[in-house]
């Protein structure tokens, strides 16, 4: 594999031309002792990518190549690297740095490290370099955030799991999805489809929750035990105080009757939201909303390295298949992927592929 | 002890005269096989009493005698009663019925039973009788909701624990307050003072959190390890991501900067509110508020029978003392108690006493 001085990728030039995806080259940050360079093979398309480059989360450092569901081959490792080796197929998710020293880092909560750096759009510690994502030829990542991909999982299947998958796997695992538990997954999209498959694989009873029944057949094929359409009358009534956990993957809170969801939770059940809607006005809550069942609402953020490796093992062992549409990477390909995400027509995750055609072998 | 046909108490006649406390008599509901009659000796004064009779929670069935921190002596037990005996000193808290059959009742979550009946103001199942509270001579309660009081605890000390105490004991116990955990108690009032004492007794590091330092000396005397005054600059900064649990006992959410409290929580830490402010507009929340530390907000409601007995044992074993002001029961006495609660001048809980003078021996 060739080894370039510069990395090349498709960057969004500005907030008003965010769909332009200019093909540019840039200097990667200085290579550190714990760094791993990889040649990217494919990259999943996450809602975070769209929110970031269209500017509705604010503060995007243009020009920026996004993409944080990366699979590639290791080209080079720093002298102190022990977690990856040259030639290995590895993945990278949405985070590329944590301090390794704080209480959170030391107890498998490194995604909550207060010095964490996400894979793109943030300045790497000790450098002036803004991280560029996986819509590009190569990536340079601290070994801790590089995950070996088991042989049984095709690259374009594995990639979307590295953010979309782990984002739902972590709360399912942490909050006890398993035999005897009833779990709801709100929103049947990129994250939600993993939610259904992983909750089922962990042994829970899983209900898919969506506005209409349009995705019911798909949800059942993914392994759902039941389906709730919130556009129907009294949808919540049969489920009052029965769910142990509801993972909300919806990307919008418009028109959400949060109370009706919360009333479906059993005592101290959790409503765990993993989406961050853009420009969101939030929801009004009152202590009374929680007191009937002593429920809790909150969020989780990604998942630990340990959980990432566990998830990939589970996927390989059970033969879990991502529902993924492969799109060759190019300006037009990325525009198509953004369009499908924006219109929610993707079934259920896009993955940019054919990197050799765009960036060379 | 004399045994009356009618029970007598101080009832609030209407929303506009809620402080009148008329002394009236009424027929108790029919005596059931599992019922326990007690002659009331004293009753703590809870914020719920005020919220209910002043009408700001709505729907108060006037005339109503409130009071749900009751201690008295058992006069009579139904033929199937096994949990209390005549002559025994017992307590009653804020709930007097649960179905005993549902999933919640069967796993020590009977305070979340969907058929639960609170001690006053609600119709008792199978009767037309509205429960009257402990500002009265006697009470008739299902045995399950009658708790033996250990000998070492004076009655006026025990009474306010039966709602104020258990309301904070339950979340502390359920959410792991103990050695190695850092717990915050927001609001140093009737509930908060128990929060400090119980969290300390359970082995946690306890911080009292109040607007000013006015109650600092008291909080330290109760056992707090530290004190945070939220009226001071940067009060939250030294504590970022360090609290495992914060129990919010504040009776108002006006001017609350919820984010600053939430940022003090460690990963998946809980903000547990146990007050229900009257006429509260609620707070606006957004997923972003939770994602830095994956925290959760919610509420708990009272505590189970098992927790009540455990709490009373802990209090007896450790010699924990309620900070209580005793006020002889009468119309004027109740008006004084309501006034002190409304103005937050009580230190830290009122208990109505001298029942024999008001109602006879």
């Amino acid at each position: 594999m060739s080894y370039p001085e510069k990395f090349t990728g498709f960057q969004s030039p500005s907030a008003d031309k965010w769909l332009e995806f200019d093909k540019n080259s840039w200097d990667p940050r200085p290579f550190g002792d714990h760094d791993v360079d990889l040649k990217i093979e494919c990259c999943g398309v996450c809602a975070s990518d769209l929110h970031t480059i269209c500017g509705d989360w604010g503060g995007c450092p243009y020009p920026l190549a996004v993409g944080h569901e990366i699979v590639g081959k290791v080209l080079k490792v720093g002298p102190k690297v022990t977690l990856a080796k040259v030639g290995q197929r590895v993945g990278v998710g949405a985070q590329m740095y944590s301090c390794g020293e704080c209480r959170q880092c030391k107890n498998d909560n490194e995604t909550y490290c207060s010095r964490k750096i996400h894979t793109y759009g943030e300045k790497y510690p000790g450098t002036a370099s803004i991280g560029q994502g996986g819509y590009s030829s190569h990536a340079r990542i601290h070994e801790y955030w590089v995950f070996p991909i088991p042989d049984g999982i095709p690259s374009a299947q594995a990639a979307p799991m590295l953010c979309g998958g782990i984002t739902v796997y972590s709360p399912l695992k942490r909050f006890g999805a398993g035999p005897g538990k009833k779990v709801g997954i709100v929103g049947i999209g990129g994250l939600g489809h993993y939610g259904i498959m992983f909750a089922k694989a962990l042994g829970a009873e899983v209900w898919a929750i969506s506005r209409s029944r349009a995705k019911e057949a798909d949800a059942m094929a993914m392994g759902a035990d039941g389906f709730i359409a919130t556009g129907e009358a009294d949808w919540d009534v049969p489920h009052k105080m029965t769910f142990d956990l509801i993972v909300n993957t919806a990307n919008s809170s418009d028109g959400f009757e949060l109370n009706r969801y919360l009333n479906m939770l059993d005592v101290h059940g959790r409503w765990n939201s993993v989406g961050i809607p853009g420009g969101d006005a939030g929801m009004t809550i009152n202590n009374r909303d929680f007191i009937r069942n002593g429920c809790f609402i909150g969020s989780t953020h990604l998942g630990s390295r340990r959980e990432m490796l566990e998830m990939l093992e589970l996927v390989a062992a059970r033969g879990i298949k991502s529902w993924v549409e492969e799109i060759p990477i190019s300006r037009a390909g990325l525009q198509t992927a953004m369009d499908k995400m924006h219109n929610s027509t993707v079934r259920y995750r896009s993955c940019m592929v054919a990197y050799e055609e765009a960036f060379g072998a």
Side-chain angles (χ1 to χ4, degrees), chain A residues 79-97:
Chain A
K80 295 186 176 164
V81 167
T82 62
L83 300 174
K85 45 193 178 187
V86 173
Q88 194 173 26
R89 191 172 61 130
V90 297
V92 175
Q95 185 171 342
M96 67 162 169
Y97 177 83

Side-chain angles (χ1 to χ4, degrees), chain A residues 185-232:
Chain A
I185 304 291
V186 177
I188 317 304
L191 275 61
H193 98 288
Y194 286 124
I196 296 169
M197 294 191 290
F198 292 161
K200 190 68 185 171
L202 291 167
E205 176 187 336
V206 191
W207 288 72
I209 306 174
S210 190
R211 299 197 193 225
S212 77
R213 293 197 174 266
K215 296 175 181 172
E216 182 172 13
D218 284 357
M220 301 311 276
M222 290 165 194
D225 295 291
F227 193 91
I228 298 172
T230 61
E232 298 174 358

Side-chain angles (χ1 to χ4, degrees), chain A residues 33-109:
Chain A
D33 287 353
H34 286 278
D35 279 339
V36 174
D37 275 1
L38 49 145
K39 180 165 168 46
I40 300 176
E41 185 186 333
C42 61
C43 183
V45 178
C46 180
S48 305
D49 301 345
L50 188 153
H51 286 304
T52 299
I53 55 179
C54 82
D56 73 3
W57 281 350
C60 177
Y62 301 102
L64 186 71
V66 290
H68 59 206
E69 299 181 331
I70 301 168
V71 172
K73 282 234 162 63
V74 177
L75 286 183
K76 179 182 171 185
V77 298
K80 295 186 176 164
V81 167
T82 62
L83 300 174
K85 45 193 178 187
V86 173
Q88 194 173 26
R89 191 172 61 130
V90 297
V92 175
Q95 185 171 342
M96 67 162 169
Y97 177 83
S98 52
C99 78
E101 292 164 6
C102 67
R103 165 162 147 155
Q104 288 75 33
C105 281
K106 287 181 174 162
N107 62 12
D108 285 316
N109 286 315

Side-chain angles (χ1 to χ4, degrees), chain A residues 35-340:
Chain A
D35 279 339
V36 174
D37 275 1
L38 49 145
K39 180 165 168 46
I40 300 176
E41 185 186 333
C42 61
C43 183
V45 178
C46 180
S48 305
D49 301 345
L50 188 153
H51 286 304
T52 299
I53 55 179
C54 82
D56 73 3
W57 281 350
C60 177
Y62 301 102
L64 186 71
V66 290
H68 59 206
E69 299 181 331
I70 301 168
V71 172
K73 282 234 162 63
V74 177
L75 286 183
K76 179 182 171 185
V77 298
K80 295 186 176 164
V81 167
T82 62
L83 300 174
K85 45 193 178 187
V86 173
Q88 194 173 26
R89 191 172 61 130
V90 297
V92 175
Q95 185 171 342
M96 67 162 169
Y97 177 83
S98 52
C99 78
E101 292 164 6
C102 67
R103 165 162 147 155
Q104 288 75 33
C105 281
K106 287 181 174 162
N107 62 12
D108 285 316
N109 286 315
E110 63 271 24
T111 59
Y112 302 96
C113 170
S114 61
R115 293 196 269 158
K116 67 179 167 289
I117 302 292
H118 293 101
T119 301
Y120 57 70
E122 293 177 9
K123 201 174 280 183
Y124 199 80
T127 78
S129 182
I130 298 288
Q132 301 292 321
Y135 298 171
S136 53
S137 62
H138 298 79
R140 176 165 293 172
I141 307 287
H142 188 286
E143 63 172 326
Y144 188 87
W145 295 97
V146 170
F147 314 106
I149 305 291
D151 288 341
I153 315 175
S155 296
Q157 290 271 323
M161 293 175 183
L162 300 168
C163 175
I166 192 67
T167 293
V168 291
Y169 181 80
S170 177
L172 288 170
K173 195 69 198 300
R174 288 178 179 221
F175 304 139
K181 301 292 182 179
K182 183 173 173 183
V183 172
I185 304 291
V186 177
I188 317 304
L191 275 61
H193 98 288
Y194 286 124
I196 296 169
M197 294 191 290
F198 292 161
K200 190 68 185 171
L202 291 167
E205 176 187 336
V206 191
W207 288 72
I209 306 174
S210 190
R211 299 197 193 225
S212 77
R213 293 197 174 266
K215 296 175 181 172
E216 182 172 13
D218 284 357
M220 301 311 276
M222 290 165 194
D225 295 291
F227 193 91
I228 298 172
T230 61
E232 298 174 358
D234 299 331
W235 54 271
D236 49 331
V237 175
H239 300 281
K240 282 209 169 157
M241 291 192 82
T242 64
F243 279 94
D244 296 285
L245 171 66
I246 300 178
V247 177
N248 170 31
T249 74
N251 200 27
S252 160
S253 52
D254 293 347
F256 242 70
E257 294 177 279
L258 184 60
N259 255 319
R260 298 180 73 178
Y261 291 92
L262 298 187
N263 287 344
M264 296 200 298
L265 289 168
D266 194 11
V267 177
H268 309 324
R270 294 184 197 247
W271 166 263
N272 186 63
S273 288
V274 294
I276 306 185
D280 187 30
M283 290 180 277
T284 299
I285 53 104
N286 188 297
N287 288 0
R288 286 170 195 267
D289 298 339
F290 301 111
I291 214 155
R292 277 179 223 93
N293 51 4
C295 69
F296 282 80
I297 68 172
S299 292
T300 53
H301 184 53
L302 306 174
S304 67
R305 177 179 176 88
R306 182 180 293 188
E307 288 166 332
M308 188 75 93
L309 300 177
E310 229 181 62
M311 173 189 74
L312 292 169
E313 258 177 52
L314 181 75
V315 166
R318 301 293 184 86
I320 293 170
K321 307 284 182 224
S322 301
W323 293 39
V324 61
E325 299 183 3
E326 300 185 14
I327 303 174
I329 191 163
S330 66
R331 175 184 288 177
L334 287 164
Q335 288 168 343
T336 299
M338 290 296 148
D339 197 52
K340 279 171 161 276

